[in-house]
Amino acid sequence: VTLGCVGPGGAFGEHGATHGGERGGAAIASCETRLLELDRTTFEALCLDAPIIALRVVRGIAARLDDAEAALAANGLERRAAPLLRVLLHRAERTAEGARIPGTLRSLAQEAELSMLETHQALQQWIDRRLLLLVDDVLQAPDLEALARVLPH
């Protein structure tokens, strides 16, 4: 499982450098890479001597935490929204442009047994990912098979 990618000038492994000990994860370089391994004492001394290093590390940790929280939220929403996706796939009427999905927010929410807020959030997420389009107040799925692949296994 890939948890993230680190680009040039990036850092990883801060937990070990700040808390000591080793983590169970591994890093794999996808290109020629130069690494600097720091023990806890050296890392702390660098941060005290050059606070910008500590600030960059904190920003990197915060960005990865944001990414992880977003991924967890999306995963949780997709699992909760699986009934809605089944409703969309059942209602889909194939067209030359993909599929037209009739219904109102309320009718979709009721049929999927979700709140209107959960229904709206799921639809918005799929619209943001271009899996759905809203054209003249009608949902359209340009690629019904791609939409179906969102269903959790």
Side-chain angles (χ1 to χ4, degrees):
V1 174
T2 300
L3 298 178
C5 296
V6 179
F12 63 93
E14 303 90 347
H15 190 273
T18 58
H19 290 82
E22 293 185 14
R23 298 288 298 257
I28 300 172
S30 61
C31 62
E32 187 174 330
T33 305
R34 291 182 7 176
L35 299 175
L36 177 62
E37 182 179 358
L38 303 173
D39 61 37
R40 182 177 183 172
T41 304
T42 305
F43 178 71
E44 288 177 356
L46 275 173
C47 289
L48 290 171
D49 289 345
I52 189 69
I53 292 173
L55 183 59
R56 287 182 182 162
V57 169
V58 168
R59 285 179 179 157
I61 292 170
R64 287 200 305 274
L65 181 58
D66 287 346
D67 292 346
E69 287 176 343
L72 287 171
N75 187 27
L77 178 61
E78 284 184 4
R79 288 189 189 286
R80 288 191 319 275
L84 174 61
L85 191 51
R86 288 186 191 93
V87 168
L88 297 177
L89 295 171
H90 176 75
R91 287 186 176 202
E93 302 167 353
R94 291 203 180 264
T95 66
E97 297 82 30
R100 178 184 179 280
I101 305 169
T104 64
L105 181 65
R106 182 178 304 283
S107 68
L108 293 171
Q110 287 173 340
E111 190 172 338
E113 298 181 354
L114 294 172
S115 71
M116 287 184 53
L117 177 61
E118 289 172 316
T119 302
H120 178 269
Q121 288 173 331
L123 291 173
Q124 186 62 55
Q125 177 180 327
W126 296 328
I127 288 169
D128 289 346
R129 291 169 55 189
R130 306 280 192 260
L131 294 168
L132 290 174
L133 304 172
L134 187 60
V135 179
D136 296 327
D137 293 331
V138 176
L139 284 173
Q140 293 183 1
D143 183 348
L144 205 53
E145 288 71 29
L147 183 62
R149 286 192 292 272
V150 173
L151 267 174
H153 299 288

